[in-house]
Amino acid sequence: MKFFILIVSFCLVSTQTSAQKFSPNQKMSANENKGLQKNLYNAFVGIGAFNVNGGFLYERKLTNMLTARAECRLDVFYAYASSAGWLYSIHPSLSPELRVYYNVKKRLERKPLQTQNNGFNSFGLKSLISFSPFYDNYLNTNFVPLGFLFGIGPVWNVQQNITSKLSYQFSLGVLVGYARANQKEGPSGISSSNNYPSIFAIVPIINNSFQYSF
């Protein structure tokens, strides 16, 4: 149960941020209405039920409907315990994803809906690699910080452009994989003899995202 609290932390309800040039009354030019963007660079920040995060992502067009996407970010996971107060850990994370956009033609036919910066719906094969934290405040508590997690699974993404500089994305999915806890250290800084085992992990994904595109 102690380690389970941090695995649940990966149930993400996060917010992130993207930029696009748009006026609601502006007609789309041929260049704006051409489907998936060849290269997309975003910066984002987010907040969720058990985490806050920020970082950068890159997405590259592979075909008219397929892209490869990767996020490089910093995750701060937190939990509250009556016996220890607020607990948190800071993790560097990577999240590669392969996306298939399925409503490209329909979106391009709807005017004046803006579709630049890949403003379409998609299905994806997403993975998450979260590394050992470089900082946590779990020392001298009964809770065990997450050391490493790898998960992979399907995800559904719905993306809409809000303004010329802002787009919204909702993602829903589940990842399955492997997790390992960090070995704790005692008050003197000497590692304890307890070895926390690796476990099978199920990671629900529920994301509400806002992204800023360069």
Side-chain angles (χ1 to χ4, degrees):
M1 291 299 296
K2 300 170 184 176
F3 183 43
F4 177 73
I5 290 180
L6 283 189
I7 294 300
V8 174
S9 303
F10 282 87
C11 301
L12 305 180
V13 184
S14 61
T15 359
Q16 306 171 341
T17 324
S18 164
Q20 306 164 354
K21 294 183 179 179
F22 175 64
S23 169
N25 299 321
Q26 178 184 0
K27 291 185 178 180
M28 290 183 296
S29 67
N31 289 333
E32 291 173 324
N33 193 18
K34 62 183 179 181
L36 298 179
Q37 190 167 317
K38 185 176 180 181
N39 294 288
L40 189 64
Y41 301 89
N42 284 2
F44 64 85
V45 293
I47 184 171
F50 294 97
N51 83 303
V52 292
N53 60 74
F56 299 91
L57 69 86
Y58 170 68
E59 187 171 1
R60 180 172 178 82
K61 177 180 176 181
L62 302 180
T63 71
N64 289 336
M65 298 178 63
L66 183 68
T67 69
R69 174 186 175 106
E71 297 177 5
C72 179
R73 66 177 191 244
L74 202 62
D75 287 291
V76 181
F77 295 98
Y78 54 85
Y80 181 81
S82 58
S83 60
W86 285 103
L87 305 171
Y88 56 88
S89 57
I90 304 175
H91 299 251
S93 301
L94 294 174
S95 184
E97 182 181 349
L98 193 64
R99 287 190 171 187
V100 178
Y101 289 86
Y102 64 86
N103 70 335
V104 175
K105 183 177 179 181
K106 181 179 178 180
R107 286 283 181 91
L108 291 175
E109 291 173 349
R110 291 170 57 187
K111 295 182 179 181
L113 180 67
Q114 188 192 39
T115 56
Q116 73 259 32
N117 294 336
N118 299 348
F120 308 96
N121 297 349
S122 65
F123 290 106
L125 182 63
K126 186 180 183 69
S127 60
L128 175 65
I129 306 167
S130 183
F131 301 96
S132 296
F134 58 82
Y135 183 81
D136 69 72
N137 70 338
Y138 285 59
L139 193 63
N140 301 326
T141 71
N142 291 325
F143 291 84
V144 182
L146 179 69
F148 175 82
L149 181 138
F150 171 78
I152 188 169
V155 64
W156 175 51
N157 307 293
V158 178
Q159 184 167 320
Q160 295 281 349
N161 293 322
I162 300 173
T163 70
S164 63
K165 299 290 185 180
L166 189 66
S167 66
Y168 168 80
Q169 177 180 278
F170 172 74
S171 298
L172 181 66
V174 61
L175 309 182
V176 295
Y178 153 93
R180 187 183 69 240
N182 260 6
Q183 189 176 47
K184 294 177 63 177
E185 294 184 350
S188 63
I190 301 174
S191 297
S192 69
S193 59
N194 296 323
N195 290 317
Y196 297 96
S198 301
I199 64 170
F200 175 76
I202 298 177
V203 184
I205 300 294
I206 307 172
N207 287 350
N208 291 284
S209 305
F210 296 89
Q211 305 177 53
Y212 184 87
S213 180
F214 298 106

